[in-house]
Amino acid sequence: MKLIWTKSKLPLSVFIRWALQEEVSHFAIVYDDKVVYQSNLLGCGLAWYATFKKHCTVVYEIDLPLSLEREDEVWKAMCDSTDGDGYDYPGFVYFGWRAILRLFFKIPLPTINPWAKKDHYLCVGLARLLPVWLVPAINQIPDTEMISPQKLLKVFEDSGLR
């Protein structure tokens, strides 16, 4: 299993990287180097990794050498928690608006996204569904819907993963 951070030439990726002044725009989880679990504009779901990589560049990855039992635990946590859940459009609008305020007026991003919808996720929102034993520091973030993909990577690195 691995965690990946990506960018692409698609307009949304370009906007996110520009507004945040960061290198990556998306976070996802890869199982068995075959399947990507992510939240994108279509909601939470799966994609074939080979197809996924045709439209994006993997900038960072953290390889997690988990036992099959532990990887299954993560897989089940994702599937059980997000089955049928959608993309958090209101949450993204708020996040984008606040990113623009930060870019132009140096107003820091808030720690909570008041427009976030329950059971809807931005890509970074999936991180809060990972088991605590994998990334204990994730529970210290008040709202993963208000952290950028690049900042999420730092949380994982600070947890000793990388």
Side-chain angles (χ1 to χ4, degrees):
M1 183 179 124
K2 65 175 114 179
L3 308 175
I4 60 171
W5 286 262
T6 67
K7 67 179 182 179
S8 77
K9 294 179 181 176
L10 295 172
L12 189 56
S13 175
V14 172
F15 169 76
I16 291 168
R17 289 182 284 120
W18 170 78
L20 295 171
Q21 297 291 290
E22 294 179 351
E23 191 176 7
V24 296
S25 59
H26 190 62
F27 164 75
I29 302 164
V30 179
Y31 295 94
D32 198 28
D33 269 333
K34 301 276 187 235
V35 179
V36 175
Y37 200 86
Q38 65 177 331
S39 180
N40 63 16
L41 296 176
L42 301 175
C44 298
L46 302 171
W48 294 112
Y49 191 35
T51 304
F52 177 84
K53 289 191 295 185
K54 288 179 183 175
H55 74 283
C56 69
T57 302
V58 176
V59 180
Y60 299 104
E61 68 179 47
I62 296 176
D63 191 21
L64 301 171
L66 301 177
S67 68
L68 187 56
E69 292 79 23
R70 285 294 202 177
E71 190 169 319
D72 280 349
E73 188 177 333
V74 176
W75 170 259
K76 288 175 184 173
M78 288 292 127
C79 293
D80 291 347
S81 299
T82 63
D83 182 29
D85 290 345
Y87 188 73
D88 189 1
Y89 289 103
F92 179 75
V93 169
Y94 182 79
F95 185 87
W97 173 55
R98 295 309 305 239
I100 295 294
L101 290 176
R102 187 182 107 188
L103 180 65
F104 289 115
F105 302 108
K106 308 298 184 228
I107 299 170
L109 288 175
T111 57
I112 302 294
N113 188 330
W115 295 3
K117 289 179 70 178
K118 184 177 171 19
D119 298 330
H120 286 68
Y121 299 89
L122 302 178
C123 65
V124 290
L126 294 179
R128 76 173 181 261
L129 303 175
L130 292 169
V132 176
W133 55 261
L134 184 60
V135 190
I138 208 72
N139 287 336
Q140 296 170 2
I141 299 169
D143 185 354
T144 55
E145 298 281 316
M146 279 310 298
I147 189 170
S148 71
Q150 192 89 35
K151 297 286 189 287
L152 179 63
L153 173 63
K154 181 148 178 36
V155 170
F156 282 91
E157 290 175 333
D158 290 349
S159 293
L161 299 174
R162 184 110 205 280

